[in-house]
Amino acid sequence: MAYIGTGVEYALHCLLFLVTPPAQPPSSRDLADIQGVPAAFVAKIFSKLEKAGIVEASGGIRGGYRLGRPATDISVLDVVDAVEGRKALFDCQGVRSRCALFDDDAPKWAQGGVCGIHAVMLNAQEVLRVELAKTSLAALAAGVQDRGMPA
């Protein structure tokens, strides 16, 4: 299972359309049509983005979505956390304390503290989070626009 799922990818692509606000705020159905995915899938993602304050919804017949704050204030990490929830990269199972080599008498070093494997995973998680926090939605949109590519 991927740490960062496809929902984040679709969320980012949809959010890029909102960086330069269109005349008519797009609905989740509009955004789903653009991405070629079911409207219910985008609606579920945008519900999470709205709860996180990344987007705001306007109601009514002409209702749609707009960014909830400036694109410069929305990081890729904000989107990942909103869509995926803040979850650990690694779920330590405490294997070393149950290792078959110890029979039923595991030494103290195998029973407490953070083992080397878990420490590496915690460091990797922190590096990932720091890197994702460095890029704003505005910077991402500028990079896409500079290459003349569609979002």
Side-chain angles (χ1 to χ4, degrees), residues 10-11 13-18 22 24-39 42-43 46 49 55 64-66:
Y10 284 110
H13 280 280
C14 289
L15 289 170
L16 289 176
F17 286 102
L18 303 180
Q24 177 62 43
S27 67
S28 56
R29 181 171 302 285
D30 296 331
L31 293 167
D33 289 345
I34 291 168
Q35 299 296 326
V37 295
V42 172
F46 268 68
L49 294 173
V55 297
Y65 288 99
R66 63 182 175 279

Side-chain angles (χ1 to χ4, degrees), residues 30-123:
D30 296 331
L31 293 167
D33 289 345
I34 291 168
Q35 299 296 326
V37 295
F41 178 63
V42 172
K44 182 178 175 184
I45 292 168
F46 268 68
S47 173
K48 293 175 182 182
L49 294 173
E50 187 176 9
K51 184 176 180 183
I54 294 172
V55 297
E56 294 176 344
S58 55
I61 292 176
R62 295 199 170 272
Y65 288 99
R66 63 182 175 279
L67 294 181
R69 55 186 190 258
T72 54
D73 295 342
I74 301 170
S75 72
V76 173
L77 180 61
D78 293 333
V79 177
V80 170
D81 284 347
V83 175
E84 296 287 338
R86 189 169 176 158
K87 61 183 181 183
L89 178 64
F90 178 72
D91 184 21
C92 181
Q93 299 298 308
V95 171
R96 67 185 173 143
S97 66
R98 296 187 313 272
C99 182
L101 297 176
F102 302 141
D103 295 322
D104 289 329
D105 191 25
K108 282 196 181 279
W109 63 263
Q111 297 175 23
V114 176
C115 77
I117 295 168
H118 195 179
V120 167
M121 297 301 181
L122 288 173
N123 287 337

